[in-house]
Amino acid sequence: MSATRRWCGVLLAVTVGAVAGCSSQKSEPTQQPDITPMGRSFVSTQVKGTAIPGGGPLTLKFADGRVSAAAGCNTATGPVTLDGDTLEVGQMATTLMGCPGDTAGADGWVDGLLHSAPSWKLAGPNLTLTGNGITVTLQDRKVAQPDKPLTGTTWIVTALLHTDAEVRSQTLDEVRPALTIAPDGTLTGSAGCNQMTGRAEIAGSDVSFHVATTRMLCDPQVMDVERDVLAVLNGKATATIDSDTLTLRNASTGTGLTLHTE
């Protein structure tokens, strides 16, 4: 599915006039680059008004004219337009996890904020959204939570990425597939049911995986998760790290993984 999106940021222009005697000179306007949250991720540091059910935090990721939002329960993704100082969010698709306790109300809190056409203000690493009686201060995740290293970190799979969807499930949360790449490239971990061993050859953002597993059988739902995990770890994938989040995309299979640190 494709959509035409437009966005605009804050346009700054400076006009300087100089007058000397009977003559005057006017410089050309100086246009500064647009400053928007697009291409950045943020995590909430303060909430004024109705608190996030379950405590949050709220995380927002802006990329390619879209915003992804989560506050402790499901992740919602949809088109976003930065119209002046107003943030306008279109229809959002969400994961369908049932969340326990107070966190069950987090999705409604996020939806109420984002669909209230909140105002936004960006000052350095800090983004402020105000709407629905709530003011949220967020900080750039690279400042609040610097990027974790690819090697030497245990990465846990939290979502399966298909060509048009991000999929989470209770089974995925229960089996917690995970991998660790040692500095020498040795790979260890769990695909969900079976243990993994192998190597990862890192060249910039490209990682070539060579993975072997044990041969146990588990419940069908667990084996489905494992099959999706191993499809991404089959050959070359592109690795992108944003704070404590690793995204792996395998172009040949059209699938990917979202992973977080412990």
Side-chain angles (χ1 to χ4, degrees), residues 10-237:
V10 179
L11 183 64
L12 304 177
V14 179
T15 304
V16 179
V19 178
C22 296
S23 65
S24 65
Q25 183 176 0
K26 186 175 182 180
S27 66
E28 292 296 323
T30 301
Q31 180 172 307
Q32 309 245 347
D34 289 351
I35 303 172
T36 83
M38 199 58 64
R40 298 168 67 178
S41 298
F42 299 85
V43 59
S44 65
T45 57
Q46 184 182 60
V47 177
K48 294 182 179 179
T50 305
I52 303 173
L58 169 66
T59 59
L60 297 176
K61 181 177 181 180
F62 296 86
D64 302 323
R66 299 180 69 81
V67 61
S68 294
C73 189
N74 285 287
T75 299
T77 304
V80 62
T81 300
L82 303 170
D83 189 3
D85 65 352
T86 301
L87 188 146
E88 297 183 359
V89 178
Q91 184 174 357
M92 304 186 80
T94 69
T95 54
L96 299 174
M97 285 284 295
C99 301
D102 292 340
T103 58
D107 293 348
W109 186 94
V110 172
D111 186 75
L113 172 66
L114 295 184
H115 284 110
S116 67
S119 63
W120 68 276
K121 180 179 179 181
L122 184 62
N126 298 317
L127 172 66
T128 303
L129 297 183
T130 302
N132 202 32
I134 302 166
T135 297
V136 186
T137 302
L138 306 100
Q139 190 172 60
D140 192 304
R141 287 186 64 177
K142 291 185 180 297
V143 175
Q145 302 167 351
D147 290 351
K148 296 288 187 180
L150 176 61
T151 61
T153 301
T154 297
W155 298 100
I156 300 170
V157 180
T158 56
L160 307 173
L161 305 178
H162 297 169
T163 55
D164 58 354
E166 178 181 31
V167 178
R168 292 178 58 193
S169 69
Q170 183 175 346
T171 300
L172 180 62
D173 287 348
E174 288 175 350
V175 300
R176 290 167 60 87
L179 63 87
T180 303
I181 303 172
D184 66 357
T186 301
L187 181 147
T188 56
S190 167
C193 175
N194 287 281
Q195 296 300 304
M196 298 187 296
T197 57
R199 293 193 57 79
E201 299 172 358
I202 303 171
S205 61
D206 290 333
V207 183
S208 295
F209 291 98
H210 307 276
V211 177
T213 68
T214 55
R215 296 186 178 277
M216 292 178 57
L217 288 177
C218 296
D219 291 339
Q221 300 94 322
V222 177
M223 299 308 295
D224 287 344
V225 167
E226 178 162 296
R227 183 181 63 251
D228 287 345
V229 170
L230 292 175
V232 179
L233 305 181
N234 179 22
K236 183 182 291 186

